[in-house]
Amino acid sequence: MKLRSTGAVVLAAAILTAACGQATPLTRGGGPLPTRAPPAKIAANGPCVLVGGRAAPTPGESQTPLEVGSDPLFAVVLWVPGLNARPCRAALTRLDEAEAGALADAINAAPVFPHGTIACPADDGGAADVYLAYDGGASVARVWISLAGCHPVTAQDRWPRKLDASIVRALRAGAPQPWQRYLR
């Protein structure tokens, strides 16, 4: 009889945990790791745009806050140029295990993005499209860090977090020169 009641308690705890929205770290579904920066060009109407680049992920209807696995092996960062970037180009850098771990920890500790209507400063589209690699790259968490405007940190189907000083510090060391201005 004791075995049945213990099993019932474990099952009830599992159901409550699922029902209460315990977040599981995002480590799958980020897509393939980029190996080079996509080309960028100046469009006919003037802005700098990526050619064939991936769009920022959308949170959808999820209320589950963004959380990534805390022990990535490395990260690849695709630096997306702002609309007025001259020269118009993207860049690709790689973070080692310690740098990627610091960035993952900073993302997980960042404040959750506010709900409701908010006023944001101008957003030129400059961003860091981050791919955190786990299990040697077999599992990937993709996080888009907007470097202008309201500064959301987004992942597909997760509620965004807000860019804060700890994320800026984690990105600053590997940022190419044109993106350093965003990270002051």
Coordinates of all heavy atoms in Angstrom, one line a residue, residues 103-149:
L103 N 27.1 34.0 -21.0 CA 25.9 34.6 -21.7 C 24.7 33.9 -21.3 O 23.6 34.5 -21.1 CB 26.2 34.6 -23.2 CG 25.1 35.1 -24.1 CD1 24.8 36.6 -23.7 CD2 25.4 35.0 -25.5
A104 N 24.7 32.6 -21.3 CA 23.5 31.8 -20.9 C 23.0 32.1 -19.5 O 21.8 32.4 -19.3 CB 23.8 30.3 -21.0
D105 N 23.9 32.3 -18.6 CA 23.6 32.6 -17.2 C 23.0 34.0 -17.2 O 22.0 34.3 -16.4 CB 24.8 32.6 -16.3 CG 25.2 31.1 -16.0 OD1 24.5 30.2 -16.3 OD2 26.4 31.0 -15.6
A106 N 23.5 35.0 -17.9 CA 23.0 36.3 -18.0 C 21.6 36.4 -18.6 O 20.7 37.1 -18.1 CB 24.0 37.2 -18.8
I107 N 21.4 35.6 -19.6 CA 20.0 35.5 -20.2 C 19.0 35.0 -19.2 O 18.0 35.6 -19.0 CB 20.0 34.7 -21.5 CG1 20.8 35.4 -22.6 CG2 18.6 34.3 -21.9 CD1 21.1 34.5 -23.8
N108 N 19.4 33.9 -18.5 CA 18.5 33.3 -17.5 C 18.2 34.2 -16.4 O 17.1 34.2 -15.8 CB 19.0 32.0 -17.1 CG 19.0 30.9 -18.1 OD1 18.2 31.0 -19.1 ND2 19.8 29.9 -18.0
A109 N 19.1 35.1 -16.0 CA 18.9 36.0 -14.9 C 18.3 37.4 -15.3 O 17.9 38.1 -14.4 CB 20.3 36.3 -14.2
A110 N 18.2 37.7 -16.6 CA 17.7 39.0 -17.0 C 16.2 39.1 -16.6 O 15.5 38.1 -16.5 CB 17.8 39.1 -18.5
P111 N 15.8 40.3 -16.4 CA 14.4 40.5 -16.1 C 13.4 40.1 -17.2 O 13.8 40.2 -18.4 CB 14.3 42.0 -15.8 CG 15.5 42.6 -16.4 CD 16.5 41.6 -16.5
V112 N 12.3 39.6 -16.9 CA 11.3 39.3 -17.8 C 10.7 40.5 -18.5 O 10.5 41.5 -17.8 CB 10.1 38.4 -17.2 CG1 9.0 38.1 -18.2 CG2 10.7 37.1 -16.6
F113 N 10.5 40.5 -19.8 CA 10.0 41.6 -20.5 C 8.6 42.0 -20.0 O 7.8 41.1 -19.7 CB 9.9 41.3 -22.0 CG 9.9 42.5 -22.9 CD1 11.1 43.2 -23.2 CD2 8.8 43.0 -23.4 CE1 11.2 44.3 -24.0 CE2 8.8 44.2 -24.2 CZ 10.0 44.8 -24.5
P114 N 8.4 43.3 -19.8 CA 7.1 43.7 -19.3 C 5.9 43.4 -20.2 O 6.0 43.3 -21.4 CB 7.2 45.2 -19.1 CG 8.3 45.6 -20.0 CD 9.2 44.5 -20.2
H115 N 4.7 43.2 -19.6 CA 3.5 43.0 -20.4 C 2.8 44.3 -20.6 O 3.1 45.3 -19.9 CB 2.5 42.1 -19.6 CG 3.0 40.7 -19.5 ND1 2.6 39.7 -20.4 CD2 3.8 40.0 -18.6 CE1 3.1 38.6 -20.1 NE2 3.9 38.7 -19.0
G116 N 2.0 44.4 -21.6 CA 1.2 45.6 -21.8 C 1.8 46.5 -22.8 O 2.8 46.2 -23.5
T117 N 1.3 47.7 -23.0 CA 1.8 48.6 -24.0 C 2.9 49.5 -23.4 O 2.8 50.0 -22.3 CB 0.6 49.6 -24.4 OG1 -0.5 48.8 -24.9 CG2 1.0 50.5 -25.4
I118 N 4.0 49.6 -24.1 CA 5.1 50.4 -23.7 C 5.6 51.2 -24.8 O 5.5 50.8 -26.0 CB 6.3 49.5 -23.1 CG1 6.7 48.5 -24.1 CG2 5.8 48.8 -21.8 CD1 8.0 47.7 -23.6
A119 N 6.2 52.3 -24.5 CA 6.8 53.2 -25.6 C 8.3 52.8 -25.7 O 9.0 52.7 -24.7 CB 6.6 54.6 -25.2
C120 N 8.7 52.6 -26.9 CA 10.1 52.2 -27.2 C 10.8 53.3 -28.0 O 10.2 53.9 -28.9 CB 10.2 50.9 -27.9 SG 9.5 49.5 -27.0
P121 N 12.1 53.4 -27.8 CA 12.9 54.3 -28.7 C 13.0 53.7 -30.1 O 12.7 52.5 -30.3 CB 14.3 54.4 -28.0 CG 14.3 53.3 -27.0 CD 12.9 52.8 -26.7
A122 N 13.6 54.4 -31.0 CA 13.8 53.9 -32.4 C 14.6 52.6 -32.4 O 15.5 52.5 -31.6 CB 14.4 55.0 -33.2
D123 N 14.2 51.7 -33.2 CA 14.9 50.5 -33.4 C 15.4 50.4 -34.8 O 14.6 50.3 -35.7 CB 13.9 49.3 -33.1 CG 14.6 48.0 -33.0 OD1 15.7 47.8 -33.5 OD2 14.0 47.0 -32.5
D124 N 16.7 50.3 -35.0 CA 17.3 50.2 -36.3 C 17.5 48.8 -36.7 O 18.0 48.5 -37.8 CB 18.6 51.0 -36.4 CG 19.8 50.4 -35.7 OD1 19.6 49.4 -34.9 OD2 20.9 50.9 -35.8
G125 N 17.2 47.8 -35.9 CA 17.3 46.4 -36.3 C 18.6 45.7 -36.0 O 18.8 44.6 -36.2
G126 N 19.6 46.5 -35.4 CA 20.8 45.9 -35.0 C 20.6 44.8 -34.0 O 19.8 45.0 -33.0
A127 N 21.2 43.6 -34.1 CA 20.9 42.5 -33.2 C 22.1 41.5 -33.2 O 23.0 41.5 -34.0 CB 19.7 41.8 -33.7
A128 N 22.0 40.7 -32.1 CA 22.9 39.5 -32.0 C 22.0 38.3 -32.1 O 21.2 38.1 -31.2 CB 23.7 39.6 -30.7
D129 N 22.2 37.5 -33.1 CA 21.4 36.3 -33.3 C 22.3 35.2 -32.8 O 23.3 34.8 -33.4 CB 21.1 36.1 -34.8 CG 20.1 35.0 -35.1 OD1 19.5 34.4 -34.1 OD2 19.9 34.7 -36.3
V130 N 22.0 34.7 -31.6 CA 22.9 33.8 -30.8 C 22.4 32.4 -30.9 O 21.2 32.1 -30.7 CB 22.9 34.3 -29.3 CG1 23.8 33.3 -28.5 CG2 23.4 35.7 -29.2
Y131 N 23.3 31.5 -31.2 CA 23.1 30.1 -31.2 C 24.0 29.4 -30.2 O 25.2 29.3 -30.3 CB 23.4 29.5 -32.6 CG 22.6 30.1 -33.7 CD1 22.8 31.4 -34.2 CD2 21.5 29.3 -34.3 CE1 22.0 31.9 -35.2 CE2 20.7 29.9 -35.3 CZ 21.0 31.1 -35.7 OH 20.2 31.7 -36.7
L132 N 23.3 29.0 -29.1 CA 24.0 28.3 -28.0 C 24.1 26.8 -28.3 O 23.0 26.2 -28.5 CB 23.3 28.6 -26.6 CG 23.3 30.0 -26.2 CD1 22.2 30.3 -25.3 CD2 24.6 30.4 -25.5
A133 N 25.2 26.2 -28.3 CA 25.4 24.8 -28.7 C 25.6 23.9 -27.5 O 26.4 24.2 -26.7 CB 26.5 24.7 -29.7
Y134 N 24.8 22.8 -27.5 CA 24.9 21.8 -26.4 C 25.2 20.5 -27.1 O 24.9 20.3 -28.3 CB 23.6 21.7 -25.7 CG 23.2 23.1 -25.1 CD1 22.5 24.0 -25.8 CD2 23.5 23.4 -23.8 CE1 22.1 25.2 -25.3 CE2 23.1 24.6 -23.2 CZ 22.4 25.5 -24.0 OH 22.0 26.7 -23.5
D135 N 25.8 19.6 -26.4 CA 26.1 18.2 -27.0 C 26.8 18.3 -28.3 O 26.5 17.7 -29.2 CB 24.8 17.4 -27.2 CG 24.0 17.3 -25.9 OD1 24.6 17.2 -24.8 OD2 22.7 17.3 -26.0
G136 N 27.8 19.2 -28.3 CA 28.7 19.3 -29.5 C 28.0 19.9 -30.7 O 28.4 19.8 -31.8
G137 N 26.9 20.6 -30.5 CA 26.1 21.2 -31.6 C 24.9 20.4 -32.0 O 24.2 20.9 -32.9
A138 N 24.7 19.2 -31.4 CA 23.5 18.4 -31.8 C 22.2 19.1 -31.3 O 21.2 19.0 -31.8 CB 23.6 17.0 -31.2
S139 N 22.3 19.8 -30.2 CA 21.2 20.6 -29.6 C 21.6 22.1 -29.6 O 22.7 22.4 -29.2 CB 20.9 20.2 -28.2 OG 20.6 18.8 -28.2
V140 N 20.7 22.9 -30.1 CA 20.9 24.3 -30.2 C 19.8 25.1 -29.7 O 18.6 24.8 -29.9 CB 21.2 24.7 -31.7 CG1 21.3 26.2 -31.9 CG2 22.3 23.9 -32.3
A141 N 20.1 26.2 -28.9 CA 19.1 27.1 -28.5 C 19.4 28.4 -29.2 O 20.5 29.0 -29.1 CB 19.2 27.4 -27.0
R142 N 18.4 28.9 -29.9 CA 18.5 30.2 -30.7 C 17.9 31.3 -29.9 O 16.7 31.2 -29.6 CB 17.9 30.1 -32.1 CG 18.1 31.3 -32.9 CD 17.5 31.2 -34.3 NE 17.6 32.4 -35.0 CZ 16.7 33.0 -35.7 NH1 15.5 32.5 -35.7 NH2 16.9 34.2 -36.3
V143 N 18.6 32.4 -29.7 CA 18.1 33.5 -29.0 C 18.5 34.8 -29.8 O 19.7 35.0 -30.1 CB 18.8 33.6 -27.5 CG1 18.3 34.8 -26.8 CG2 18.5 32.4 -26.8
W144 N 17.5 35.6 -30.0 CA 17.7 36.9 -30.7 C 17.8 38.0 -29.7 O 16.8 38.2 -28.9 CB 16.5 37.1 -31.7 CG 16.6 38.3 -32.5 CD1 16.3 39.6 -32.1 CD2 17.0 38.4 -33.9 NE1 16.5 40.5 -33.2 CE2 16.9 39.8 -34.3 CE3 17.4 37.4 -34.8 CZ2 17.3 40.2 -35.6 CZ3 17.8 37.9 -36.1 CH2 17.7 39.2 -36.5
I145 N 18.9 38.7 -29.7 CA 19.1 39.8 -28.7 C 19.0 41.1 -29.5 O 20.0 41.5 -30.3 CB 20.4 39.7 -28.0 CG1 20.4 38.3 -27.2 CG2 20.6 40.9 -27.0 CD1 21.7 38.0 -26.6
S146 N 18.0 41.9 -29.4 CA 17.8 43.1 -30.0 C 18.7 44.2 -29.3 O 18.6 44.4 -28.1 CB 16.3 43.6 -30.0 OG 16.2 44.8 -30.7
L147 N 19.5 44.9 -30.1 CA 20.5 45.8 -29.5 C 20.0 47.2 -29.6 O 20.7 48.2 -29.2 CB 21.8 45.7 -30.3 CG 22.4 44.3 -30.2 CD1 23.7 44.2 -31.0 CD2 22.7 43.9 -28.7
A148 N 18.7 47.5 -30.0 CA 18.2 48.8 -30.1 C 16.7 48.7 -29.7 O 16.1 47.6 -29.5 CB 18.4 49.4 -31.5
G149 N 16.0 49.8 -29.7 CA 14.6 49.8 -29.4 C 14.3 49.5 -28.0 O 15.0 50.0 -27.1

